[in-house]
Amino acid sequence: MPRFVKHVDVDFLDQVTELYRQRIPEGGAVLDLCGSWVSHLPAEVYYSKVVGHGMNAAELARNPRLEAFFVRDLNREPDGWPLVDQSLDAVLCCVSVQYLQQPERVFAEIYRVLKPGGVCIVTFSNRMFYTKAIAAWRDASGFARCQLVRQYFQAVSGFTAPEVLTAVPRPADQQQQGRAGGGGFLKGLLNSPLARLFRRSSSDPFYAVVAYRNFRREL
């Protein structure tokens, strides 16, 4: 049955969107892998193409950012995706990597469809459907899970050294606007380092592992 819910909290998803804003080139072609009815891409950014993949056609059909999608169980058919070699600028996988049973083959496909300099962004938290997650993931620490995803990238020759993030810093100009914009003192207080630390400690933990095909393209 379709599930039109979000599996992580707003603070986590805000960081996902900001990471996409910083790492995906405007006008790029994007694949939302293991996706659903929301892609978490920044609303103000134009992309030339956004293709979705998932397990449920009804969920994908509700996603307003997708111009096309395909349904496939990657645990049964991990490769042979209906996508052209070196055709994408970014492949995204949000809170789903823990369910991949043949990750090396999936990441080889990610590499195949990425353009040189294209980015793969894998984000996850500590939430999961416990019985569906692979055994190596279920009771591992956040650090161990990051190392596991790093190994998935390292299993495919050609990816850059995977980068692990546990928070996404906002650009300095956004922080300045938060302090100086409407709301003045209150807005500045809400964006203070102490407030951000509190939000991080009370929200779903954020982890991202990022790598590029061949080299990192400067935006």
Side-chain angles (χ1 to χ4, degrees):
M1 295 294 292
R3 290 190 177 99
F4 297 107
V5 297
K6 297 175 182 178
H7 300 289
V8 282
D9 65 22
V10 171
D11 287 329
F12 178 96
L13 294 175
D14 284 347
Q15 292 198 81
V16 171
T17 299
E18 180 59 33
L19 183 58
Y20 291 171
R21 184 179 288 113
Q22 294 178 15
R23 299 297 183 104
I24 305 172
E26 185 170 359
V30 178
L31 170 63
D32 186 4
L33 190 67
C34 304
S36 183
W37 64 292
V38 183
S39 289
H40 312 301
L41 292 162
E44 79 283 1
V45 179
Y46 164 76
Y47 303 101
S48 62
K49 177 172 66 175
V50 181
V51 178
H53 155 268
M55 292 280 287
N56 191 289
E59 293 177 2
L60 294 166
R62 283 273 297 272
N63 190 325
R65 294 306 294 263
L66 304 183
E67 71 173 53
F69 64 81
F70 63 99
V71 176
R72 178 182 293 237
D73 182 348
L74 296 182
N75 291 334
R76 294 183 177 181
E77 299 178 279
D79 36 36
W81 304 349
L83 297 167
V84 177
D85 293 2
Q86 300 185 29
S87 59
L88 299 171
D89 297 286
V91 176
L92 317 174
C93 184
C94 182
V95 295
S96 293
V97 69
Q98 60 267 31
Y99 306 120
L100 297 178
Q101 297 174 8
Q102 301 185 67
E104 293 85 358
R105 292 174 65 180
V106 171
F107 276 67
E109 276 291 278
I110 293 172
Y111 183 85
R112 178 184 70 80
V113 300
L114 279 174
K115 299 175 183 178
V119 63
C120 178
I121 302 173
V122 180
T123 51
F124 53 92
S125 189
N126 58 359
R127 297 195 184 207
M128 73 188 89
F129 294 105
Y130 190 85
T131 58
K132 295 182 180 180
I134 63 170
W137 190 277
R138 292 175 189 164
D139 298 317
S141 65
F143 174 82
R145 291 168 179 163
C146 290
Q147 298 311 304
L148 189 62
V149 178
R150 290 182 75 248
Q151 290 173 20
Y152 295 165
F153 281 113
Q154 292 167 342
V156 182
S157 177
F159 276 116
T160 60
E163 176 185 1
V164 175
L165 302 172
T166 57
V168 181
R170 294 193 307 161
D173 58 339
Q174 289 187 19
Q175 294 182 17
Q176 185 63 33
Q177 289 172 10
R179 288 191 291 268
F185 173 77
L186 178 59
K187 211 169 222 185
L189 185 64
L190 292 174
N191 285 286
S192 68
L194 183 60
R196 292 197 299 272
L197 178 62
F198 175 78
R199 286 199 299 271
R200 182 178 174 187
S201 65
S202 61
S203 66
D204 291 331
F206 177 88
Y207 303 99
V209 185
V210 182
Y212 298 78
R213 174 170 172 153
N214 305 131
F215 60 90
R216 177 173 177 176
R217 183 192 306 165
E218 295 300 326
L219 303 184

